[in-house]
Amino acid sequence: MVFTYLAVTGRSTLGRLRAGRNFINHHSLMSFSSAIDSNFFTVGITGSSGLLGSSLIDELSNADATVNGKPIRIVKLIRANDLGTDTLSEERITSLPWNPSSATPEDVIDPKSLEQMDAIVHLAGENVATGLGPLGFLGIRPWTDKKKDEIMKSRVGPTEKLAKAIAASRTPTSFLSASGVGVYGTDFFGGNEVPAADESMNVSAVGGFLAEVSRKWEAATEGAAGNNNRIVNCRMGVVLSKKGGALQKLFPIFFLGGGGDVGSGKQYFTFISARDAARALVHTLSTPSLEGPVNFCAPEPCTNSEFTKSFGKVLSRPTIIPLPSFAVSLLFGEMGEEMLLGGVRAIPKKLAESGFKFLHPIIETACQ
């Protein structure tokens, strides 16, 4: 039998000037001052080789893409144990080492290069959807204590180091750091009348491992506060793309006719297409009013059953082989309880209010 699983993976005294509902405030002044001597708006990206990082680079590489009226320079931040003598080049797409294991801010990333960066988009972190062992690459192994430790440490420690380096820099920076909608918990199911979560929800006491990871991950960004730095906690839904992540792993299962509901099928599934996620990050870079927690997810979250039917429809395949709850619990333990049987229903209130428009607002278009 082929089992189905879900691999998740104060206002300025200048007043407000409306331009697509983007507001001018001290952050907009910041973004100009940090690149006053540069012809580019420079964006550093960690995790640039991942699904979302690759999608973001594609979006930023668009010939028409600009921020603050400037063409964009992309800097792929590559992990290294030694920064060496590398400095920032003038190429439109370049790379630079960073060392998240360093004990001092000046050794995390070259200070002079950091001063030239208008923004850093921090996407690096251990994949929560894969497990250890021979089938780990499929994301069908339960979390072990070792795996959970890797997930936590890969997010909190490097984020703290990067935040301190940004705080120590002489020029202000927009710091966009990934987080997850798992911060809202996993108790959202169709029919139970629990309202969708937006960024105003108090998440301080939400239970579950993923909620704890997201809280500590976001807390780690606070070290960047001050010096007119802008901090955005990008609470990502499941990023959907046939090039990787959940859809790529599920494709062969559904293509062979093995798709079906997981558990009751009523658990909510909060998603965003890779293209919309990348577009939303670019929108956030150029929208200074967006700060703090921001939900990066489609405006129409669906249930697991709705996702299953939509993906089957896109592939023209039946979806009649379910994965019962008892099997999920037996095979996947805590990971299965949170990621497969649990549900998150979040909505992108801040993005919507800032004027962002989705290309793939519903699950069927996001699966295509």
Side-chain angles (χ1 to χ4, degrees):
M1 176 180 180
V2 181
F3 290 124
T4 301
Y5 63 92
L6 288 180
V8 172
T9 3
R11 302 173 182 262
S12 168
T13 56
L14 295 175
R16 301 195 302 182
L17 177 62
R18 291 187 180 272
R21 300 193 69 180
N22 295 346
F23 305 138
I24 295 293
N25 61 15
H26 69 283
H27 288 310
S28 61
L29 299 179
M30 171 274 295
S31 58
F32 280 107
S33 63
S34 62
I36 194 168
D37 295 324
S38 174
N39 294 321
F40 297 106
F41 185 92
T42 301
V43 182
I45 306 172
T46 73
S48 59
S49 62
L51 173 62
L52 183 52
S54 299
S55 297
L56 176 58
I57 289 174
D58 287 345
E59 197 68 28
L60 291 172
S61 301
N62 188 309
D64 297 327
T66 62
V67 176
N68 288 343
K70 294 182 178 182
I72 299 167
R73 175 170 56 176
I74 301 165
V75 183
K76 299 178 182 180
L77 297 176
I78 310 299
R79 284 176 179 260
N81 294 324
D82 186 356
L83 298 185
T85 59
D86 291 353
T87 57
L88 204 56
S89 76
E90 288 297 316
E91 297 177 15
R92 287 289 303 274
I93 300 180
T94 186
S95 62
L96 190 74
W98 75 296
N99 182 7
S101 301
S102 174
T104 56
E106 60 268 21
D107 291 327
V108 173
I109 187 171
D110 175 61
K112 290 184 179 180
S113 297
L114 180 56
E115 288 174 9
Q116 298 179 56
M117 294 187 195
D118 298 274
I120 289 182
V121 182
H122 180 41
L123 304 175
E126 175 72 15
N127 194 330
V128 299
T130 58
L132 300 174
L135 297 179
F137 73 97
L138 288 176
I140 57 173
R141 293 279 294 180
W143 288 330
T144 62
D145 289 341
K146 179 180 179 181
K147 176 65 176 180
K148 291 171 67 176
D149 187 57
E150 289 176 352
I151 291 171
M152 186 70 78
K153 287 183 176 179
S154 71
R155 284 161 171 73
V156 177
T159 303
E160 287 178 340
K161 298 292 180 65
L162 196 52
K164 290 179 180 178
I166 291 171
S169 180
R170 295 187 302 174
T171 56
T173 305
S174 289
F175 185 29
L176 280 60
S177 181
S179 181
V181 294
V183 73
Y184 299 117
T186 58
D187 296 326
F188 297 83
F189 296 87
N192 68 359
E193 305 303 326
V194 176
D198 63 32
E199 296 89 348
S200 65
M201 177 178 170
N202 184 348
V203 298
S204 60
V206 175
F209 175 66
L210 294 179
E212 179 186 8
V213 169
S214 295
R215 280 196 301 269
K216 291 184 177 180
W217 200 359
E218 293 182 7
T221 67
E222 295 173 3
N227 194 32
N228 281 330
N229 294 323
R230 176 169 63 121
I231 302 172
V232 184
N233 303 116
C234 308
R235 293 176 173 174
M236 293 287 172
V238 181
V239 179
L240 299 181
S241 170
K242 291 181 180 178
K243 295 180 180 180
L247 286 190
Q248 185 184 61
K249 293 173 181 178
L250 288 170
F251 178 84
I253 295 173
F254 274 69
F255 187 78
L256 293 174
D261 291 355
V262 176
S264 69
K266 295 181 180 180
Q267 64 272 35
Y268 269 98
F269 179 58
T270 296
F271 64 91
I272 186 169
S273 73
R275 177 75 191 283
D276 274 341
R279 292 177 59 251
L281 286 170
V282 176
H283 172 82
T284 302
L285 288 172
S286 58
T287 308
S289 61
L290 286 171
E291 56 186 341
V294 177
N295 289 344
F296 282 67
C297 55
E300 298 290 340
C302 64
T303 64
N304 168 261
S305 181
E306 290 166 341
F307 163 76
T308 299
K309 291 177 181 177
S310 293
F311 196 34
K313 180 179 179 181
V314 168
L315 297 179
S316 300
R317 293 293 187 272
T319 53
I320 58 174
I321 303 179
L323 180 56
S325 297
F326 77 87
V328 174
S329 299
L330 180 65
L331 292 170
F332 309 125
E334 182 184 12
M335 185 273 281
E337 294 287 341
E338 287 204 29
M339 296 181 64
L340 303 182
L341 299 179
V344 183
R345 184 187 182 194
I347 54 174
K349 182 179 179 181
K350 284 188 175 181
L351 277 178
E353 290 178 345
S354 70
F356 182 74
K357 304 298 183 184
F358 287 84
L359 295 177
H360 309 121
I362 61 174
I363 189 61
E364 188 170 334
T365 58
C367 286
Q368 291 174 348

